[in-house]
Amino acid sequence: MDASLEKIADPTLAEMGKNLKEAMRMLEKSPRRTEEENGKKPVSEDIPGPLQGSGQDMVSILQLVQNLMHGDEDEEPQSTRIQNIGEQGHMALLGHSLGAYISTLDKEKLRKLTTRILSDTTLWLRRIFRYENGCAYFHEEEREGLAKICRLAIHSRYEDFVVDGFNVLYNKKPVIYLSAAARPGLGQYLCNQLGLPFPCLCRVPCNTMFGSQHQMDVAFLEKLIKDDVERGRLPLLLVANAGTAAVGHTDKIGRLKELCEQYGIWLHVEGVNLATLALGYVSSSVLAATKCDSMTLTPGLWLGLPAVPAVTLYKHDDPALTLVAGLTSNKPADKLRALPLWLSLQYLGLDGIVERIKHACHLSQRLQESLKKVDHIKILVEDELSSPVVVFRFFQELPASDSAFKAVPVSNIAPAAVGRERHSCDALNRWLGEQLKQLVPQCGLTVIDLEVDGTCVRFSPLMTAEGLGTRGEDVDQLITCIQSKLPVLTCTLQLREEFKQEVEGTAGLLYVDDPNWPGIGVVRYEHANDDDTSLKSDPEGEKIHTGLLKKLNELESDLTFKIGPEYKSMKSCIYIGMASDDVDVSELVETIAVTAREIEENSRLLENMTEVVRKGIQEAQVQLQKANEERLLEEGVLRQIPVVGSVLNWFSPVQASQKGRSFNLTAGSLESTEYTYVHKVQGTGVTPPPTPLGTRSKQRLPGQKPFKRSLRGSDAVSETSSVSHIEDLEKVEQLSSGLEHDNLEAHSPEQPPRATDLTARQTEALQNQAQHQEDDHSQMGTRVQRLKV
């Protein structure tokens, strides 16, 4: 590129190209701060640091911009730019620099140059997108062109608007018709720009009985127009969609055009499907948009061109009205808006433009064909050939008795049954969309919420493919990721109802219905002091749930556990995540209940022990004081005098018994130490009862994680008994040798047991042990015979 720049005669243009290339190269590098920048000290507190001295050079300024773009070194690394800027992107960026340079020319040269740029770009766009005999308005804001078109329609229909202004509109209010599937906030934007009240907007519903759920209902629109005419209103403008913002559906533009011609309504069309007008084959529904009064195009998004303006093509013969409406301007700066697009279109050429649009359409068709082969995935596209947008969602049809969402429109289900199933469906699809966005960021997926279908995942390559560099391999990877996530979704969906029933049947647990949580479910442990009617914070419950969460995460299972507040409450709950395999829900619920109960009992034990210890100390102090008084009475007052007492004790020693007290934590009482001094052994006291372990003490196979459902029935027996016969024989031999050793020790004459030393309970225990050993011998002999056979 440097050699090409040397051929340019104008040194300023050559230097501009070099500076742009150098600036882009520097900004692409990773951020780093120079020592000189960090070492600079401000001279004056009133002047910012970068302005001090004789100014900064270009490298320092670009270094500052780079640091602002990439962030500080101390911050976490983030993606500096999502969009991929190629050579065509550099041409678009160069257009902004050239625009500033061209504006310095003299007026005559500037007028000729801007006129040429504007006329060329308009002609090229009209030919590429099959829009004949029209003008072009270039604007930065996508909705700005439609606002100017509305202003042009008002000037065209109200002849006295320039003179009388709002009085004309008050006598005959204009009506702007928008589809219910239009972009959110479009109507409000138009009213704010035009100064019209909100009643001037008319929201046209989409088809509810036949056809697409996202296409404008033409019959209902005609009824609305007739009603407005009868009430003395003026139907002004209709905004149709060639590819809705959500799912990419196209309205019946041909029928809408006929209706608009009948009532004199301006027809404006916008949408992503207008890009397909540049292809060799165009569907009839999109091709009808070429006959409309105006359309808005966004070639910058379709072709991956940064900082390129949007274009509104329109048909109107009165230049005075277009000038008043703001669609045309005599300012050269306004005409230079087309310069970045003028450069980029020449760089790409017709083949490059068509190839990029065709590539995006092929990506969507590739995804559609692949999704048709995937179970439990529903594609929300009516016209697959004309729409380059793919919208899909996860669903699973289960029997009517099961609480699961089905592939049935929400309008056909009873309102009472919609709530929980709809939210559950949306939560799982939202989780799926977020997972796919992280795993395959090159596809540019978005999660959308539709009024009828709920939460879905959208793939719109025309809007993202060129910027992200999406290729066919990325679509294949997306399909692989979807298939890998389906078992998790189906398994979680099937376990939800079972988890709810288990929790409701377990004492001490409360099932929390949180449909927005994409997991097995939410549960809360109800402790003794828990008040279900109170929504205030619960410190004791929060402490129990925090410990419970720690214990559950220590089990290292495949499930994820989180803690969070209950819906509209400040009480803590345990949120159980998605299940990737068959989970033993009963074991899971019982483990939660037993662990929470142990944590609560241990917490209360510590509290009770603190109180018992405090009372024990007080009682010990009282007994020590009482013992001192008794000792004083026994020994007399003279023995307490230091010199006299030692003489008396020498002549007549006092034989005092050693008395002491020990505190038994288990019994919570003071005990005498006389037994310890006599027998030289500390008393055992009361043995605390063992803590129940619940199902956590179940034996698992080697490598089996907690909460895995164990095999049952004959399959389980066959698999567990399929262990090597050699290992079983070795175990039998070890057990038999151990039993023989036990028998030898039992008959050893060194320490024969004496009947006089055995109590009745010990004798009975020995008899039971002998009986168990005989049973074990018989069972083991039977098993050895089977193994030998």
Side-chain angles (χ1 to χ4, degrees):
M1 184 175 178
D2 296 337
S4 301
L5 291 174
E6 294 177 357
K7 299 179 181 179
I8 300 177
D10 193 334
T12 305
L13 289 178
E15 186 67 21
M16 187 183 304
K18 293 180 180 179
N19 291 340
L20 177 64
K21 182 180 179 181
E22 181 66 20
M24 293 299 298
R25 185 184 63 82
M26 294 183 61
L27 294 178
E28 291 288 342
K29 292 182 179 180
S30 59
R32 59 178 183 273
R33 296 178 178 177
T34 59
E35 297 180 358
E36 297 178 359
E37 179 184 352
N38 296 331
K40 290 181 179 179
K41 297 181 180 180
V43 180
S44 175
E45 297 181 355
D46 299 334
I47 304 299
L51 299 184
Q52 295 175 2
S54 58
Q56 306 288 335
D57 56 359
M58 187 182 68
V59 177
S60 301
I61 297 175
L62 290 178
Q63 185 70 38
L64 176 61
V65 175
Q66 175 183 286
N67 293 334
L68 295 175
M69 289 172 55
H70 296 269
D72 296 335
E73 294 179 351
D74 299 337
E75 297 180 356
E76 296 181 359
Q78 299 178 355
S79 58
T80 57
R81 185 184 62 247
I82 299 178
Q83 186 172 353
N84 181 24
I85 298 180
E87 289 294 333
Q88 72 275 10
H90 290 179
M91 294 299 298
L93 298 177
L94 180 61
H96 293 275
S97 302
L98 284 177
Y101 174 65
I102 292 174
S103 61
T104 61
L105 299 177
D106 60 85
K107 294 184 179 180
E108 185 63 22
K109 291 183 178 180
L110 181 60
R111 183 186 63 81
K112 292 181 179 180
L113 182 58
T114 54
T115 302
R116 171 68 182 273
I117 293 174
L118 185 61
S119 60
D120 286 350
T121 310
T122 302
L123 177 62
W124 296 340
L125 293 174
R126 282 168 39 195
R127 296 292 176 84
I128 293 173
F129 297 101
R130 308 186 183 191
Y131 194 83
E132 299 295 335
N133 301 326
C135 303
Y137 172 67
F138 300 89
H139 46 91
E140 303 297 335
E141 167 62 48
E142 293 183 14
R143 302 172 295 182
E144 182 183 353
L146 178 57
K148 297 296 178 65
I149 290 296
C150 291
R151 196 180 303 276
L152 176 61
I154 291 176
H155 283 281
S156 300
R157 298 298 300 275
Y158 294 93
E159 297 180 356
D160 300 331
F161 180 74
V162 178
V163 180
D164 298 334
F166 69 93
N167 291 326
V168 180
L169 303 180
Y170 179 79
N171 296 330
K172 198 171 186 178
K173 297 180 180 179
V175 182
I176 300 175
Y177 300 94
L178 296 176
S179 172
R183 287 184 290 174
L186 180 60
Q188 182 179 2
Y189 173 82
L190 294 177
C191 289
N192 293 336
Q193 294 295 319
L194 300 174
L196 297 177
F198 288 135
C200 292
L201 293 177
C202 182
R203 188 171 182 266
V204 183
C206 297
N207 293 338
T208 56
M209 297 298 296
F210 305 100
S212 171
Q213 297 292 333
H214 303 276
Q215 286 182 343
M216 193 183 303
D217 193 338
V218 181
F220 198 87
L221 171 62
E222 186 175 4
K223 181 178 180 299
L224 292 175
I225 294 175
K226 291 181 180 179
D227 294 341
D228 291 334
V229 172
E230 292 177 357
R231 288 185 291 180
R233 297 182 177 181
L234 178 64
L236 181 67
L237 184 138
L238 171 65
V239 181
N241 293 299
T244 56
V247 297
H249 287 196
T250 302
D251 292 327
K252 300 178 179 63
I253 300 178
R255 294 183 57 188
L256 294 177
K257 178 58 179 176
E258 297 175 359
L259 190 62
C260 291
E261 290 179 351
Q262 180 181 353
Y263 291 94
I265 303 175
W266 186 288
L267 178 60
H268 179 82
V269 181
E270 61 180 16
V272 66
N273 291 352
L274 292 176
T276 59
L277 291 172
L279 303 179
Y281 171 79
V282 186
S283 63
S284 58
S285 58
V286 179
L287 189 60
T290 59
K291 306 298 181 183
C292 63
D293 297 305
S294 60
M295 66 167 61
T296 297
L297 309 175
T298 56
L301 295 175
W302 302 340
L303 304 177
L305 304 175
V308 169
V311 185
T312 297
L313 302 178
Y314 63 94
K315 298 177 181 178
H316 202 273
D317 298 332
D318 193 346
L321 293 181
T322 57
L323 182 61
V324 173
L327 291 171
T328 57
S329 175
N330 294 327
K331 297 180 180 179
D334 295 338
K335 297 181 180 181
L336 286 175
R337 291 178 183 173
L339 181 58
L341 188 58
W342 183 76
L343 295 174
S344 301
L345 293 178
Q346 292 184 81
Y347 182 84
L348 293 175
L350 180 60
D351 294 340
I353 296 172
V354 174
E355 182 62 28
R356 281 162 172 75
I357 298 176
K358 187 182 296 185
H359 172 68
C361 295
H362 287 170
L363 290 177
S364 63
Q365 293 177 4
R366 186 170 185 170
L367 181 60
Q368 289 177 15
E369 294 297 329
S370 301
L371 287 177
K372 292 178 182 178
K373 304 175 184 178
V374 180
D375 297 333
H376 307 299
I377 293 295
K378 178 183 178 182
I379 305 176
L380 305 178
V381 177
E382 297 294 337
D383 189 358
E384 301 177 359
L385 297 178
S386 63
S387 178
V389 181
V390 182
V391 179
F392 60 93
R393 67 195 296 265
F394 166 77
F395 79 98
Q396 183 175 5
E397 292 190 9
L398 295 177
S401 59
D402 294 341
S403 176
F405 55 89
K406 309 165 185 64
V408 180
V410 177
S411 58
N412 298 338
I413 308 177
V418 169
R420 188 167 180 271
E421 296 179 1
R422 171 67 179 270
H423 288 294
S424 299
C425 168
D426 293 346
L428 293 179
N429 279 280
R430 191 176 299 109
W431 176 86
L432 175 62
E434 296 298 332
Q435 291 291 317
L436 296 178
K437 287 170 60 178
Q438 296 178 4
L439 295 175
V440 195
Q442 297 83 4
C443 290
L445 299 176
T446 54
V447 180
I448 59 175
D449 293 324
L450 302 180
E451 184 178 357
V452 177
D453 301 293
T455 303
C456 304
V457 183
R458 179 179 62 194
F459 175 64
S460 182
L462 265 175
M463 306 296 289
T464 60
E466 287 301 323
L468 298 177
T470 310
R471 295 294 178 261
E473 294 77 10
D474 300 326
V475 176
D476 297 337
Q477 183 182 359
L478 175 60
I479 294 296
T480 304
C481 293
I482 294 175
Q483 293 175 344
S484 65
K485 297 300 179 182
L486 287 179
V488 180
L489 294 170
T490 54
C491 183
T492 302
L493 182 61
Q494 294 173 359
L495 295 176
R496 277 188 167 186
E497 186 64 23
E498 183 181 356
F499 177 79
K500 179 181 179 182
Q501 295 176 0
E502 289 288 342
V503 172
E504 292 177 348
T506 304
L509 296 183
L510 176 64
Y511 179 79
V512 180
D513 189 8
D514 189 356
N516 295 322
W517 172 249
I520 295 179
V522 185
V523 64
R524 190 180 76 208
Y525 176 72
E526 294 180 303
H527 56 90
N529 300 327
D530 192 6
D531 187 5
D532 296 338
T533 60
S534 176
L535 298 179
K536 297 181 180 179
S537 60
D538 185 13
E540 184 178 355
E542 183 178 355
K543 183 179 180 181
I544 294 175
H545 285 86
T546 302
L548 177 60
L549 178 65
K550 182 179 180 181
K551 292 290 185 180
L552 293 175
N553 288 329
E554 289 177 355
L555 297 178
E556 296 182 355
S557 64
D558 291 336
L559 297 175
T560 58
F561 301 92
K562 296 182 180 180
I563 192 169
E566 183 185 351
Y567 183 68
K568 295 183 178 179
S569 173
M570 298 178 64
K571 297 182 178 180
S572 300
C573 306
I574 296 297
Y575 286 73
I576 305 173
M578 309 288 288
S580 59
D581 199 356
D582 197 8
V583 176
D584 193 343
V585 178
S586 60
E587 180 185 355
L588 171 63
V589 174
E590 186 175 354
T591 302
I592 294 175
V594 172
T595 307
R597 193 178 301 114
E598 290 178 2
I599 294 174
E600 182 183 13
E601 292 176 356
N602 294 336
S603 177
R604 291 185 178 181
L605 179 61
L606 291 176
E607 295 177 359
N608 297 335
M609 186 178 296
T610 303
E611 183 66 20
V612 170
V613 170
R614 186 182 63 83
K615 292 182 179 180
I617 293 174
Q618 295 177 356
E619 184 180 354
Q621 291 176 351
V622 172
Q623 292 188 9
L624 287 175
Q625 184 178 1
K626 185 178 179 180
N628 291 332
E629 294 176 356
E630 293 177 354
R631 186 170 60 87
L632 179 63
L633 294 176
E634 292 178 0
E635 297 177 358
V637 179
L638 293 177
R639 293 183 181 273
Q640 308 305 320
I641 301 175
V643 179
V644 177
S646 60
V647 175
L648 291 176
N649 291 331
W650 184 73
F651 284 105
S652 177
V654 179
Q655 299 295 331
S657 60
Q658 296 180 354
K659 296 181 180 180
R661 298 291 186 269
S662 64
F663 186 75
N664 192 337
L665 291 177
T666 304
S669 61
L670 289 174
E671 299 178 354
S672 176
T673 59
E674 184 178 357
Y675 179 85
T676 304
Y677 286 113
V678 173
H679 299 279
K680 306 300 181 181
V681 177
Q682 187 175 0
T684 57
V686 181
T687 303
T691 304
L693 297 178
T695 58
R696 290 173 297 167
S697 60
K698 291 183 178 180
Q699 296 182 356
R700 299 186 178 89
L701 296 175
Q704 182 181 2
K705 294 186 177 181
F707 313 131
K708 290 289 185 181
R709 193 185 300 272
S710 59
L711 299 176
R712 302 174 183 176
S714 59
D715 295 337
V717 176
S718 62
E719 291 190 13
T720 54
S721 61
S722 62
V723 184
S724 175
H725 295 287
I726 299 176
E727 295 179 359
D728 289 341
L729 290 175
E730 291 177 354
K731 292 180 181 178
V732 171
E733 292 175 359
Q734 293 175 2
L735 182 59
S736 61
S737 62
L739 292 175
E740 293 176 358
H741 180 69
D742 294 339
N743 293 333
L744 291 175
E745 290 182 352
H747 295 83
S748 176
E750 295 180 0
Q751 296 179 351
R754 293 182 299 174
T756 56
D757 297 338
L758 299 178
T759 61
R761 181 176 299 177
Q762 292 174 343
T763 303
E764 183 180 0
L766 289 175
Q767 293 176 356
N768 294 334
Q769 183 178 2
Q771 183 64 30
H772 288 310
Q773 289 179 356
E774 292 179 0
D775 296 340
D776 293 338
H777 288 173
S778 61
Q779 293 178 3
M780 191 58 61
T782 304
R783 187 176 182 186
V784 170
Q785 292 178 0
R786 291 180 179 176
L787 291 175
K788 289 181 178 180
V789 173

